[in-house]
């Protein structure tokens, strides 16, 4: 429709446009983007006949209109909503609109009809039709300027800097109208400094700098062009010559509103197993020296084992290092394993422990940055993008969980909905209202939500595509059920523990048959929990971890008690990151029940404080058809206690468990000496929750 070819323009001796080309097709919205002084206004003025071009050609519907008068251009169907609005402040809104129709010599009826159309599009102008235009807000004046231009029913609407000087919210409103006009088929040439706005509101765009077109193309592609984004966002530098070029062209004062997260990569830099091993050896050496020099506890332990900071020469020397256990953490309460001065610690987190002292871990800023980076890697591996909306339904606060999910989410630039755990009604409402695309929770919470979604029949009204769940074991059947009831969402098991930063130390990939773990942040050994000797790759054993760059509380051969196995070889997904199976269980008796860690020793303590109850007991864990976990405690009456007291004792045990462990337990009381005794440690925990294969 509009074609500008090789256009040049001068102001006196100064050249303002240098051979500019531009095309606008019928029905298109085309953006002309450039910094202040780039030549945008000159181009518009040439187009409107206000400035005489010194060369080139302008055609409108294949007629040469170069050097036409402004009046002729208006008659040919061009209408301008000028920069700075230029409304007549002493006239009313209504009168300003009438002025827009004057050159067209409309009948009274036609004029009224067109004003009515403008009022339909801009209800605010109807509300204020008698008000003097000079008393309107900036946003309302912009609407008036656009409305006045629309009075001409233009073939081509020229919008010059519609967002200039407006608050972001008002800009939103103006651009919503630009979108509407565009959808209604109005042909628009949009001239804007705000590149992000202009690009997202247009079909194609031209970037003008110092009077020259420096870039043109589809707006959606330009919006994602890494060089342009770097130029818009980054400072010019030697490393970023493209930014220098565009920067010199005056484009760096154009700001996109969100950095381009799609260009970010959180995968590790190493490209072979040898490189990873070399990185791990260097990290191991660093960690040993750091812990030895920074922590009196570590030094004592290492001295006892005859280890000095120089003891590590090869990877095999790792086996000579002493283990660190949960007891070391509890003994060191409140700041165990602290290896940096307090002034370097910026945060603490604690594990959920129901007995004894909690495990408290300190973090330096670098620790938090590392955690954030590899949590972002988790999201990346699960295919989460900046366009996702991530509903985080795990605990916030002193627990690491919520924080990790939040930090990683912000790092990749997705929208976080930090709800926290529980609160099913609110969760469902947010899934519906915010159309969250990723749901993060424990496995049992995910199941609970899945059932609720099913019960309310809203599976087809939610937008969840991925569920990232962790901290509990899950079986294939449970995963299948969650996925189905969530309308076919894909599940990603995420691993982690507070001692090792928090959640996010590994995640399932799109192949869904392994956990990739971050070998560039920690070394993983799989040991036989009894002999503490390594098991061959592929065999189950206890996961033992050694950190490679953790500052505040480094871990040296920390016994996680989680049971898993190494999966040798490269994954079909193509990632070079090493992998292990989903966590199968624990090498101690810790029970994970409805998200709470319970140590059997705490049940010992509670039972022994109830007079009339014996010391033997069994815990049976089961999962009902609905997927809900249940705990049944079988205890004995103490010797000589009458069977008639059973109800009273059951009530008391139930009450104490609820009060101290915050869990509801079915209690059964049996005769004295009816539970089996064993010379060795008797089996007290019977976990029947998972019947089928875990991995
Ligand atoms: Zn994989």
């Amino acid at each position: 429709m509009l074609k500008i070819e090789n256009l040049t323009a001068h102001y006196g001796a100064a050249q303002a446009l240098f051979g500019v080309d531009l095309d606008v097709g019928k029905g298109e919205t085309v953006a002309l983007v450039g910094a202040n002084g780039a030549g945008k206004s000159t181009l518009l003025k040439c187009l409107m006949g206000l400035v005489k071009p010194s060369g080139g050609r302008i055609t409108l519907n294949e007629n040469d209109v170069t050097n036409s008068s402004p009046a002729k251009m208006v008659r040919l169907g061009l209408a301008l909503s000028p920069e700075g609005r230029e409304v007549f402040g002493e006239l009313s809104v209504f009168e300003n609109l009438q002025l827009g129709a004057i050159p067209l010599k409309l009948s009274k009826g036609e004029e009224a009809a067109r004003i009515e159309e403008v009022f339909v599009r801009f209800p605010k102008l109807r509300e204020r039709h008698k008000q003097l235009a000079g008393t309107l807000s900036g946003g309302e004046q912009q609407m008036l300027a656009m409305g006045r231009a629309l009075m001409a029913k233009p073939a081509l609407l020229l919008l010059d800097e519609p967002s200039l000087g407006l608050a972001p919210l008002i800009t939103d409103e103006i651009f919503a109208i630009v979108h509407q006009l565009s959808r209604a088929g109005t042909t628009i040439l949009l001239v804007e400094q705000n590149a992000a706005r202009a690009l997202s509101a247009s079909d194609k765009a031209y970037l003008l700098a110092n009077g020259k077109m420096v870039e043109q193309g589809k707006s959606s592609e330009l919006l994602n062009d890494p060089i342009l984004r770097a130029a818009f966002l980054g400072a010019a530098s030697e490393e970023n010559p493209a930014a220098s070029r565009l920067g010199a062209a005056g484009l760096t004062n154009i700001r996109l509103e969100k950095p381009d997260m799609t260009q970010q990569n959180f995968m590790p830099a190493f490209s072979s197993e040898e490189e990873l091993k070399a990185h791990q050896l260097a990290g191991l050496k660093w960690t040993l020296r750091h812990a030895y020099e920074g922590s009196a506890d570590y030094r004592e332990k290492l001295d006892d084992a005859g280890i000095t900071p120089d003891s590590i020469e090869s990877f095999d020397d790792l086996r000579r290092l002493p283990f660190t256990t949960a007891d070391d953490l509890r003994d060191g309460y409140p700041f165990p394993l602290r290896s940096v001065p307090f002034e370097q610690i910026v945060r603490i987190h604690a594990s959920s422990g129901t007995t004894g002292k909690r495990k408290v871990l300190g973090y330096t800023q670098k620790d938090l940055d590392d955690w954030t980076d590899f949590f972002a890697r988790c999201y990346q591996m699960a295919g989460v993008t900046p366009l996702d909306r991530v509903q985080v339904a795990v605990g916030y606060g002193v627990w690491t969980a919520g924080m990790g999910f939040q930090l990683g989410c912000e790092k990749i630039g997705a929208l976080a909905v930090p709800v926290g755990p529980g609160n099913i009604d609110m969760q469902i409402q947010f899934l519906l209202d915010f159309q969250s695309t990723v749901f993060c929770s424990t496995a049992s919470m995910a199941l609970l939500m899945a059932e609720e979604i099913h019960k309310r029949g809203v599976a087809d009204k939610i937008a969840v595509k991925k569920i990232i769940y962790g901290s509990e074991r899950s079986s294939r059947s449970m995963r299948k059920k969650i996925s189905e009831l969530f309308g076919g969402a894909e599940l990603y098991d995420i691993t982690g523990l507070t001692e090792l930063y928090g959640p996010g130390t590994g995640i399932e990939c799109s192949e869904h048959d392994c956990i990739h773990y971050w070998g560039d942040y920690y070394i993983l050994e799989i040991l036989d929990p009894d002999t503490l000797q390594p098991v061959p790759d592929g065999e189950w054993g206890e996961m033992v971890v050694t950190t490679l760059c953790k500052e505040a509380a480094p871990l040296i051969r920390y016994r996680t008690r989680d049971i898993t196995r190494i999966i040798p070889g490269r994954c079909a997904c193509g990632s070079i990151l090493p992998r292990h199976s989903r966590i199968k269980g624990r090498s101690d008796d810790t029970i994970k029940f409805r998200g709470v860690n319970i140590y059997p020793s705490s049940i010992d303590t509670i039972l022994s404080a109830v007079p009339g109850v014996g010391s033997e007991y069994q815990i049976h864990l089961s999962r009902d058809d609905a997927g809900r976990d249940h705990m049944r405690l079988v205890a004995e009456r103490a010797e000589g206690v009458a069977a008639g007291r059973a109800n009273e004792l059951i009530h008391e045990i139930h009450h104490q468990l609820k009060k101290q462990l915050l869990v509801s337990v079915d209690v059964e009381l049996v005769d004295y000496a009816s539970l089996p005794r064993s010379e060795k440690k008797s089996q007290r925990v019977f976990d029947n929750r998972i019947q089928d294969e875990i991995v």
Side-chain angles (χ1 to χ4, degrees):
M1 171 186 244
L2 173 71
K3 203 170 181 68
I4 296 176
E5 292 163 285
N6 200 24
L7 194 74
T8 57
H10 286 76
Y11 285 115
Q15 190 163 356
L17 292 176
F18 298 80
V20 168
D21 296 322
L22 184 143
D23 272 303
V24 182
K26 189 167 163 47
E28 271 186 337
T29 297
V30 174
L32 177 62
V33 181
N36 203 7
K40 306 189 303 289
S41 301
T42 309
L43 191 143
L44 271 192
K45 282 177 182 160
C46 288
L47 191 53
M48 289 301 294
L50 296 164
V51 165
K52 258 189 186 341
S54 44
R57 211 162 87 104
I58 302 172
T59 50
L60 190 64
N61 291 325
E62 288 166 17
N63 299 313
D64 191 336
V65 295
T66 324
N67 290 323
S68 297
S69 70
K72 182 174 177 198
M73 292 311 283
V74 170
R75 279 198 305 278
L76 289 173
L78 260 63
L80 173 69
S81 165
E83 178 185 347
R85 343 287 184 221
E86 295 180 15
V87 297
F88 295 91
E90 299 302 309
L91 299 180
S92 72
V93 166
F94 195 85
E95 289 161 337
N96 267 281
L97 290 177
Q98 283 178 315
L99 284 178
I102 282 181
L104 303 162
K105 304 192 172 75
L106 301 176
S107 69
K108 274 284 152 211
E110 180 61 20
E111 181 190 287
R114 290 193 184 188
I115 288 178
E116 178 57 26
E117 277 177 46
V118 170
F119 282 161
V120 166
R121 204 170 282 289
F122 301 94
K124 271 199 183 144
L125 296 183
R126 189 200 298 277
E127 279 171 35
R128 300 178 193 281
H129 70 277
K130 285 184 184 154
Q131 198 170 320
L132 294 185
T135 64
L136 296 176
S137 71
E140 288 158 357
Q141 288 192 358
Q142 180 60 43
M143 291 176 194
L144 181 53
M146 288 164 72
R148 190 178 56 192
L150 287 172
M151 285 296 289
K153 288 208 170 172
L156 175 61
L157 176 64
L158 308 173
L159 294 177
D160 194 2
E161 303 285 2
S163 77
L164 196 70
L166 298 182
L169 263 180
I170 309 299
T171 304
D172 283 347
E173 218 173 312
I174 296 297
F175 270 90
I177 295 165
V178 174
H179 279 289
Q180 279 173 15
L181 290 170
S182 175
R183 275 201 304 275
T186 314
T187 310
I188 301 172
L189 178 59
L190 171 65
V191 177
E192 256 292 339
Q193 281 195 61
N194 187 328
R197 292 284 189 183
L199 290 177
S200 50
S202 57
D203 305 310
K204 68 180 187 197
Y206 293 84
L207 302 189
L208 193 63
N210 290 357
K212 293 173 186 149
M213 285 301 182
V214 290
E215 200 76 57
Q216 68 183 71
K218 273 192 175 174
S219 300
S220 56
E221 285 166 15
L222 291 175
L223 204 51
N224 288 313
D225 185 307
I227 295 174
L228 282 178
R229 300 198 70 111
F232 291 173
L233 292 166
S237 70
E238 256 177 68
E239 289 79 51
N240 193 354
S244 306
R245 204 177 66 239
L246 291 165
L251 269 175
T252 48
N253 67 341
I254 304 170
R255 287 281 179 271
L256 292 170
E257 283 148 354
K258 206 170 177 182
D260 182 15
M261 303 299 183
T262 60
Q263 302 298 327
Q264 297 198 81
N265 180 21
F266 299 98
M267 292 302 161
F270 63 87
S271 58
S272 68
E273 206 172 316
E274 292 67 46
E275 262 181 71
L276 173 60
K277 277 266 150 51
H279 171 86
Q280 289 183 330
L281 182 59
L284 180 59
K285 286 180 177 173
W286 177 86
T287 296
L288 187 62
R289 179 169 297 279
H290 175 72
Y292 190 90
E293 290 173 354
S295 153
D297 290 342
Y298 264 131
R299 184 180 312 179
E300 192 185 328
K301 201 189 249 270
L302 292 165
D303 280 343
D304 286 351
I307 303 286
T308 71
D310 298 315
S311 291
I312 298 283
E313 281 167 12
S314 78
F315 206 78
D316 293 336
D317 292 326
L318 173 65
R319 308 257 184 258
R320 296 168 50 207
L321 302 181
F323 292 100
T324 308
T325 65
D327 287 340
D328 292 319
L329 281 156
R330 292 197 199 93
D331 292 348
Y333 186 87
F335 300 107
L337 314 184
R338 181 174 63 87
S339 303
V340 297
F342 276 111
E343 58 265 33
Q344 289 184 34
I345 296 181
V346 298
R347 195 195 286 173
I348 59 136
H349 277 295
S351 71
S352 53
T354 42
T355 183
K357 294 165 182 167
R358 299 182 194 287
K359 296 177 222 163
V360 183
L361 279 302
Y363 296 72
T364 65
Q365 187 56 51
K366 180 179 185 296
D367 293 336
L368 291 180
D369 292 346
D370 286 346
W371 185 26
T372 305
D373 278 352
F374 68 66
F375 211 116
R377 181 187 290 177
C378 291
Y379 283 122
Q380 187 181 346
M381 184 153 268
V384 177
T385 76
L387 296 177
D388 277 302
R389 299 173 180 192
V390 182
Q391 188 158 325
V392 182
V394 298
Y396 279 78
V398 78
W399 320 131
T400 48
M403 290 286 196
F405 280 94
Q406 181 77 20
L407 290 171
C409 182
E410 287 169 359
K411 186 78 186 180
I412 61 155
L415 185 159
V417 184
V419 191
N423 224 334
I424 300 287
D425 276 340
M426 196 201 277
Q427 304 280 7
I428 299 265
Q429 189 193 338
F430 285 178
L431 287 184
L432 290 168
D433 294 350
F434 302 157
Q435 291 288 289
S436 306
T437 54
V438 180
F439 186 75
C440 307
S441 71
T442 61
S444 45
M445 172 78 179
L447 186 66
L448 220 79
M449 284 291 292
E451 284 166 349
E452 197 61 27
I453 286 164
H454 178 67
K455 207 165 83 191
R456 300 188 189 193
V458 293
D460 58 343
K461 295 188 183 65
I462 61 169
V464 176
K465 301 281 174 300
K466 295 168 197 293
I467 295 169
I468 300 178
Y469 73 95
S471 106
E472 277 172 304
R473 291 191 294 158
S474 59
S475 64
R476 280 192 195 279
S477 58
M478 184 181 184
R479 286 167 58 96
K480 190 160 167 274
K481 185 167 181 194
I482 293 172
S483 170
E484 280 172 7
L485 298 185
F486 257 97
E490 217 175 332
L491 267 66
Y492 292 87
D493 190 346
I494 193 167
T495 56
L497 58 158
T498 306
E499 300 91 307
L500 187 59
Y501 299 92
T505 54
I507 193 169
E508 176 175 338
C509 69
S510 53
E511 293 292 314
H512 300 296
D513 60 0
C514 66
I515 304 281
H516 285 277
Y517 71 91
W518 314 148
D520 47 344
Y521 288 94
Y522 61 97
I523 297 170
L524 183 146
E525 296 174 86
I526 304 290
L527 305 181
D528 180 311
D530 296 323
T531 66
L532 295 176
Q533 291 305 307
V535 301
D537 278 359
E539 285 185 21
W540 297 97
E542 181 179 325
M543 182 201 274
V544 173
V545 294
T546 301
T547 57
L548 300 173
C549 55
K550 199 162 178 274
E551 293 182 336
L555 299 179
I556 295 176
R557 302 194 87 194
Y558 180 71
R559 295 190 58 186
T560 68
R561 304 289 180 172
D562 281 334
I563 299 290
T564 184
R565 61 180 173 185
I566 293 285
I567 302 179
R570 187 74 77 87
C571 182
C573 78
S575 172
I576 189 167
L577 284 155
R579 51 213 187 112
H580 62 73
S581 284
R582 290 199 188 96
I583 308 297
K584 185 183 172 187
R586 301 273 303 169
S587 69
D588 61 10
D589 287 336
T590 314
I591 301 162
K592 277 218 162 163
F593 180 68
R594 295 185 183 173
V596 180
N597 275 326
I598 297 170
Y599 297 91
S601 60
S602 57
I603 294 186
D604 279 331
T605 312
I606 291 167
L607 290 181
S608 61
V610 181
V613 176
S615 62
E616 288 302 310
Y617 65 92
Q618 287 182 348
I619 295 163
H620 295 266
L621 295 158
S622 60
R623 186 163 286 159
D624 63 23
D625 290 342
R628 208 71 65 84
D629 287 358
H630 296 277
M631 189 192 293
R632 186 164 61 92
L633 176 80
V634 185
E636 291 181 352
R637 292 193 303 277
E639 203 170 359
V641 172
R645 285 188 59 201
N647 280 347
E648 166 211 338
L649 291 172
I650 287 171
H651 183 80
E652 181 61 15
I653 295 169
H654 190 270
H655 173 74
Q656 289 300 334
L657 289 170
K658 179 107 200 170
K659 186 172 139 196
Q660 300 192 40
L661 299 180
L662 309 172
V663 292
S664 213
V665 177
D666 301 323
V667 181
E668 187 182 331
L669 213 56
V670 295
D671 290 342
Y672 175 72
S674 58
L675 289 175
R677 266 73 168 157
S678 153
E679 281 177 17
K680 288 193 276 173
K681 205 175 149 211
S682 10
Q683 188 184 359
R684 298 192 189 283
V685 179
F686 300 84
D687 193 343
N688 304 312
R689 285 178 293 187
I690 292 180
Q691 305 289 354
D692 58 344
E693 230 186 332
I694 289 165
V695 179

